[in-house]
Amino acid sequence: MASPSPWEEMEENYFICPICLDNLKDPKSLPCLHRYCRPCLAPIVGRHHSEFDCPMCKTACIIPENGVDGFKTDFHVQNMLEFIALQKSVKSEESQTCKGCQKKETVIAYCFKCKGFLCDQWYQFHLNNDIFQDHKDHVLLLADIIDEQLSLRKLASLKIAPRCNVHTEKRAEVCCETCNNLPICMVCGHHGEHEGHQISDVKKTAMKERAKIQKVINRVDQYKANVYNLPVRLEEARTRLGRNLSEEKQKLQSEYQKKLEQIRKMLRRTDKLLAESKAKIKSKEMEELTELRRERSSELEAAARKINKKFDELENEVKGKCKSYREEHEQIFGEKKANLEEKLALLDQAARDNRKLIDTQGERAAKELADASGESEGRMRQFDTFTSTVSSILAAEDDWTDSQCLPDVSLASGSLEEEVKRKLLERDAISAIHTPKLPPIVDKVTIAENPDSPVEIEEIKHEDGWVRTTAADARGRVVISGKASSTHAFVTAVDTNGKPLWRKLIESINNTSHQSICYSAALSKQLLVNACNFNRVSICHFHDGSVASTSDFHGEANNSTHGCDITNYWEEKKIEISCVTCDPANKDVYIGSCKPGQQISRKMLVFNDELQYKHSIVLPDDIRWARDITFHRGHLLVCDFEGKAGYVVSVDKLNTEIVHRLTKPIHENGDWYPTRVCTDSKEFIYILWEAKVDNKWKCVVTQYSPDSLRIMMTSPVDEYARALTTAFLDGKEKLLVTTSVTGELYIYDLVTS
């Protein structure tokens, strides 16, 4: 029994347009390799402006300038479709007209060069006459079609070579590799518009492309197993999601019960102390009154009226004094009780909010898993299309087909690989559930009025230099970063006495803003993230500044002083880094941006703790430029310098929303700009503000309550203050404020009461 031809097996899913469900007509190939009839694709393209999603796999496709005609026609598929049409025509047994004699004779062959059927006489004429010498290799007996024994290789050999791109009357002889393997004639290659380009024989070009595609196939095969394993991984993620939801709820309830019992215990103790205080005051009152009455009785006979009046006054004085004591104690304990009841209310509200957050995250994660299931099917279809496309092209074993079609397949595989890597990284985090901690039970933290004597740091004393960030670890190492000059950024570490520990100058690369600035943030107790405005990011050690061994997005070792170049992730030109922080819950690095000269940019990039790109977020429209950022209770605190405002912003995957705007300080009638933000271990918030007052710049630090709704206090600081952070030094928490120009470090005690 004759075996079916390769394209006969592929016909159902390879040559059918997914839109009209008929054989492809003028097949247009998208960057994802899915094909559609031009008439079917045109209305879809027409409904969009710049890009649209492939109907099959949802891959985003950029629309060419000339619309649907800009998408490449798949000539390989078109050739096979031509043969299928020929095959169907022969099988229908309809009488055909001979291309040579123009009579409806019994035809026995088909000439692909003449594009017509041949009777026996004209078939022999084609074989034996020198006029048709170049037709011989392009003639196919109809018996070969009927027997279905024709291979793709044989079919490819029957097709004529493509025409020169410029001289369409000439057959193409070579490829211009400079112009994406464009088929051209020898005249164009040596004397025409392709003179000086990389010209190659089609066989050599085809060999190069086959070698390239083999490497691509090997790479794609590595991801193929991951993609086809996605349904299993998604089911595992659903299981983890259910387990994480349950664990988070149990953890929340346990923490809530523990803190609730603490507050109730403190309330009972307050009530007991108040009762004991009242009893002591009453007892003291009775003792003093009894003593007075005893004295009164002994002296009553000597001067009854005089003594009565005197002791009546004394008795009233004692009663008044004790009443005052009672009222004072009742007020003190009443305030404590009210404070505890307020904490209880805040605890209950926070617990309700956290339960709601857990449910919301769970619902969103479940939806993302459902979306991922559909997406995984799309990716599997993409891999199937890639495999079948490569197989059919290579099976033809035709140099022109390989040189023209394989580069497009290689290009499509690159975007497919990147998309799969990015999606796999995102899917791994879907089942994670993170909730902020419940508020601590603490009355308040006060910034000491007088700091320790300022510590002079010679390394940062520079009139042209800028201090931008300060970070510290538990061992008293203070890391300060900023601008050293127009061509160099700096990161320097000192101890709390100002003694230098290490220093690094980082030369700018491709910098367009004429300033070179480094921003730093603590990633862990041992590691520090350095982000330079010329789009270089690295991770170094706190103790000596050496660059930690990390991996960039492409998995290559990165031990360069400059770190990873993240320019391409911005997707816009002239975007620079403006701030950096770390999310302690997810161990992610958030990097903010600005446009030099405009200072307006809301985009942020998110990397994991090995500087692998995860995704990007966009801050809400009300925010103009994030000068500084930090995480607080799962939210992002943003210093919007251009907007002169501080914000609390919720961040949920790719979505951001303003929770509320922080109250601005009212101090000396200044129009205050927020520059830096940090938090302490008790979750109080500190923002460094600056303003011009009476033609002189002044700075203040404002402390906010843990819920960020109230200003607790505002303290003036040095006019050159440009960075702040908190740290435990010698077992006590301190607020560290660093200045530019004067190069001083101020250390303030944080007093808990």
Side-chain angles (χ1 to χ4, degrees):
M1 181 178 177
S3 59
S5 57
W7 53 88
E8 192 75 21
E9 289 181 341
M10 295 188 296
E11 187 170 349
E12 184 176 355
N13 60 3
Y14 196 75
F15 301 107
I16 299 297
C17 170
I19 296 176
C20 66
L21 303 180
D22 199 354
N23 275 347
L24 289 158
K25 305 171 193 68
D26 191 6
K28 290 291 181 179
S29 180
L30 300 184
C32 58
L33 298 182
H34 283 121
R35 307 168 189 83
Y36 301 91
C37 300
R38 185 197 176 284
C40 295
L41 190 61
I44 296 175
V45 174
R47 290 195 296 268
H48 298 81
H49 297 292
S50 57
E51 65 175 46
F52 68 98
D53 291 342
C54 168
M56 285 285 284
C57 64
K58 306 304 177 186
T59 297
C61 302
I62 297 173
I63 299 174
E65 290 184 5
N66 54 338
V68 69
D69 292 324
F71 289 110
K72 192 168 184 178
T73 299
D74 195 326
F75 293 106
H76 177 60
V77 170
Q78 200 170 38
N79 289 339
M80 289 193 284
L81 283 168
E82 183 182 346
F83 176 79
I84 291 171
L86 174 63
Q87 191 179 53
K88 287 181 178 178
S89 176
V90 172
K91 286 183 178 179
S92 67
E93 298 183 355
E94 294 179 5
S95 58
Q96 305 290 343
T97 301
C98 173
K99 185 74 173 179
C101 64
Q102 298 296 313
K103 296 179 181 179
K104 284 197 174 184
E105 300 284 347
T106 301
V107 291
I108 65 166
Y110 184 87
C111 178
F112 283 88
K113 194 156 188 177
C114 296
K115 290 192 178 296
F117 291 94
L118 303 174
C119 64
D120 182 55
Q121 182 180 353
W122 273 88
Y123 170 66
Q124 295 299 330
F125 194 60
H126 262 62
L127 295 182
N128 300 319
N129 197 300
D130 291 342
I131 298 174
F132 296 100
Q133 183 69 29
D134 58 345
H135 287 230
K136 290 181 181 179
D137 294 334
H138 305 289
V139 177
L140 174 66
L141 286 170
L142 300 188
D144 291 339
I145 299 176
I146 296 170
D147 290 341
E148 298 178 344
Q149 293 300 308
L150 190 65
S151 67
L152 284 171
R153 181 180 181 184
K154 175 61 177 174
L155 176 62
S157 68
L158 293 168
K159 302 297 294 183
I160 60 174
R163 296 289 176 176
C164 172
N165 185 256
V166 177
H167 306 99
T168 53
E169 74 281 359
K170 291 186 178 182
R171 188 179 299 178
E173 299 166 287
V174 290
C175 293
C176 178
E177 294 186 359
T178 306
C179 300
N180 197 26
N181 295 347
L182 193 70
I184 57 174
C185 65
M186 295 295 289
V187 174
C188 287
H190 294 292
H191 306 291
E193 61 183 68
H194 297 276
E195 184 179 358
H197 289 193
Q198 183 68 37
I199 307 300
S200 174
D201 177 72
V202 65
K203 288 188 179 296
K204 290 182 179 179
T205 302
M207 286 178 62
K208 287 181 184 178
E209 295 300 338
R210 283 193 284 268
K212 286 181 187 176
I213 202 66
Q214 191 56 55
K215 293 179 181 178
V216 169
I217 292 170
N218 294 338
R219 281 202 317 270
V220 169
D221 282 344
Q222 296 175 7
Y223 294 107
K224 193 172 182 179
N226 285 333
V227 170
Y228 281 89
N229 195 40
L230 267 177
V232 175
R233 292 181 63 182
L234 289 171
E235 191 56 42
E236 292 173 352
R238 287 190 186 93
T239 303
R240 286 199 307 273
L241 174 61
R243 185 171 62 247
N244 290 345
L245 280 170
S246 177
E247 289 175 356
E248 285 292 324
K249 287 181 178 179
Q250 289 177 7
K251 186 168 68 174
L252 174 63
Q253 186 62 25
S254 174
E255 186 182 359
Y256 171 73
Q257 289 295 339
K258 183 178 178 181
K259 290 183 179 288
L260 180 64
E261 185 54 37
Q262 280 182 272
I263 293 177
R264 284 176 175 170
K265 186 176 179 181
M266 293 169 74
L267 279 169
R268 289 194 296 270
R269 185 166 177 271
T270 301
D271 287 338
K272 182 181 177 183
L273 289 173
L274 178 58
E276 290 175 354
S277 176
K278 285 181 177 180
K280 286 179 181 178
I281 293 171
K282 184 66 177 176
S283 175
K284 185 172 175 132
E285 178 185 5
M286 293 305 295
E287 287 176 5
E288 291 188 17
L289 287 174
T290 300
E291 179 62 24
L292 282 172
R293 286 166 185 164
R294 187 184 63 77
E295 291 181 17
R296 180 180 189 177
S297 296
S298 64
E299 297 184 20
L300 191 57
E301 294 176 358
R305 289 184 181 180
K306 186 178 178 180
I307 295 299
N308 272 337
K309 183 178 179 181
K310 176 187 174 183
F311 280 93
D312 282 342
E313 291 174 354
L314 289 172
E315 187 173 324
N316 289 333
E317 185 181 336
V318 169
K319 288 180 178 179
K321 184 172 64 175
C322 290
K323 181 182 178 183
S324 177
Y325 285 159
R326 276 196 302 272
E327 290 174 350
E328 184 181 346
H329 279 243
E330 285 174 356
Q331 182 180 355
I332 292 170
F333 283 101
E335 288 176 356
K336 286 190 176 182
K337 191 171 181 179
N339 182 268
L340 288 170
E341 288 171 347
E342 182 184 358
K343 289 183 184 299
L344 182 58
L346 287 173
L347 178 67
D348 287 338
Q349 183 61 49
R352 285 194 295 272
D353 291 344
N354 280 8
R355 290 189 190 100
K356 184 178 179 181
L357 179 60
I358 290 172
D359 291 338
T360 301
Q361 289 186 9
E363 290 169 4
R364 185 172 284 109
K367 182 180 182 302
E368 288 182 9
L369 285 171
D371 293 342
S373 295
E375 195 175 83
S376 66
E377 292 176 5
R379 293 290 163 258
M380 286 190 280
R381 283 196 293 269
Q382 256 187 292
F383 273 101
D384 289 340
T385 302
F386 172 83
T387 302
S388 57
T389 300
V390 171
S391 298
S392 66
I393 293 171
L394 293 178
E397 297 185 27
D398 179 68
D399 292 337
W400 281 114
T401 300
D402 290 347
S403 64
Q404 299 304 297
C405 297
L406 290 181
D408 295 327
V409 178
S410 297
L411 187 64
S413 72
S415 61
L416 177 59
E417 287 179 65
E418 297 297 325
E419 182 70 10
V420 169
K421 283 193 285 187
R422 184 173 68 84
K423 291 297 181 184
L424 288 174
L425 201 63
E426 289 180 8
R427 295 302 167 217
D428 286 341
I430 285 180
S431 58
I433 300 292
H434 299 285
T435 55
K437 293 181 179 180
L438 293 172
I441 302 172
V442 61
D443 284 336
K444 63 179 180 179
V445 173
T446 306
I447 304 173
E449 290 186 10
N450 299 312
D452 298 339
S453 298
V455 177
E456 293 189 1
I457 305 172
E458 293 295 331
E459 280 71 12
I460 62 174
K461 278 187 178 181
H462 200 302
E463 289 190 1
D464 295 329
W466 298 344
V467 168
R468 278 293 176 259
T469 54
T470 300
D473 67 2
R475 297 191 177 185
R477 289 182 284 241
V478 181
V479 176
I480 303 164
S481 56
K483 168 199 166 188
S485 66
S486 61
T487 59
H488 287 79
F490 80 87
V491 185
T492 189
V494 298
D495 63 17
T496 52
N497 295 316
K499 178 184 177 182
L501 300 176
W502 54 266
R503 178 177 174 85
K504 287 187 177 295
L505 287 176
I506 307 172
E507 185 178 3
S508 64
I509 298 176
N510 300 325
N511 196 357
T512 59
S513 70
H514 309 296
Q515 304 293 348
S516 303
I517 309 168
C518 182
Y519 305 90
S520 301
L523 179 62
S524 66
K525 292 181 179 179
Q526 294 83 27
L527 297 176
L528 187 77
V529 177
N530 295 319
C532 297
N533 68 325
F534 40 89
N535 291 321
R536 295 283 173 160
V537 184
S538 64
I539 297 176
C540 74
H541 293 99
F542 253 114
H543 68 278
D544 62 0
S546 61
V547 176
S549 179
T550 62
S551 298
D552 63 16
F553 183 63
H554 302 289
E556 300 168 357
N558 169 36
N559 295 305
S560 165
T561 302
H562 294 102
C564 301
D565 183 0
I566 65 170
T567 305
N568 293 334
Y569 295 120
W570 292 121
E571 298 176 357
E572 284 185 68
K573 293 182 178 179
K574 296 183 179 179
I575 293 287
E576 295 183 353
I577 292 172
S578 68
C579 54
V580 62
T581 193
C582 301
D583 176 6
N586 298 309
K587 295 184 178 179
D588 289 337
V589 178
Y590 281 68
I591 297 175
S593 63
C594 71
K595 293 182 179 179
Q598 298 182 39
Q599 310 296 18
I600 299 176
S601 181
R602 301 180 184 90
K603 187 169 183 178
M604 288 190 174
L605 303 180
V606 183
F607 298 81
N608 67 10
D609 58 356
E610 291 186 349
L611 295 187
Q612 291 176 316
Y613 175 74
K614 293 183 71 173
H615 57 82
S616 65
I617 62 170
V618 178
L619 293 173
D621 290 344
D622 287 351
I623 298 173
R624 301 185 66 189
W625 170 39
R627 176 77 172 266
D628 195 22
I629 51 176
T630 195
F631 270 88
H632 175 69
R633 293 187 173 182
H635 293 331
L636 203 59
L637 299 178
V638 180
C639 288
D640 180 8
F641 189 82
E642 283 293 305
K644 303 179 186 179
Y647 292 95
V648 180
V649 178
S650 65
V651 180
D652 187 7
K653 300 293 183 187
L654 308 180
N655 303 311
T656 62
E657 185 179 350
I658 291 177
V659 177
H660 69 264
R661 181 171 173 160
L662 291 162
T663 305
K664 289 181 72 170
I666 301 174
H667 187 77
E668 296 188 4
N669 296 318
D671 189 10
W672 297 95
Y673 294 75
T675 59
R676 297 290 163 225
V677 60
C678 69
T679 60
D680 65 20
S681 63
K682 303 297 189 301
E683 299 190 338
F684 285 88
I685 301 165
Y686 303 86
I687 294 184
L688 178 63
W689 300 79
E690 64 179 43
K692 210 164 192 178
V693 180
D694 297 330
N695 293 319
K696 184 179 180 181
W697 283 102
K698 293 192 175 183
C699 296
V700 297
V701 172
T702 300
Q703 182 199 55
Y704 294 84
S705 58
D707 60 9
S708 68
L709 297 175
R710 293 169 295 156
I711 289 181
M712 306 302 291
M713 64 183 299
T714 297
S715 299
V717 293
D718 191 286
E719 62 184 294
Y720 292 111
R722 294 296 180 269
L724 81 170
T725 190
T726 58
F728 279 91
L729 304 177
D730 299 324
K732 294 181 180 179
E733 194 162 21
K734 311 276 188 177
L735 178 68
L736 280 58
V737 177
T738 316
T739 68
S740 280
V741 183
T742 57
E744 293 177 321
L745 173 65
Y746 290 86
I747 302 176
Y748 294 82
D749 288 331
L750 294 179
V751 183
T752 302
S753 60

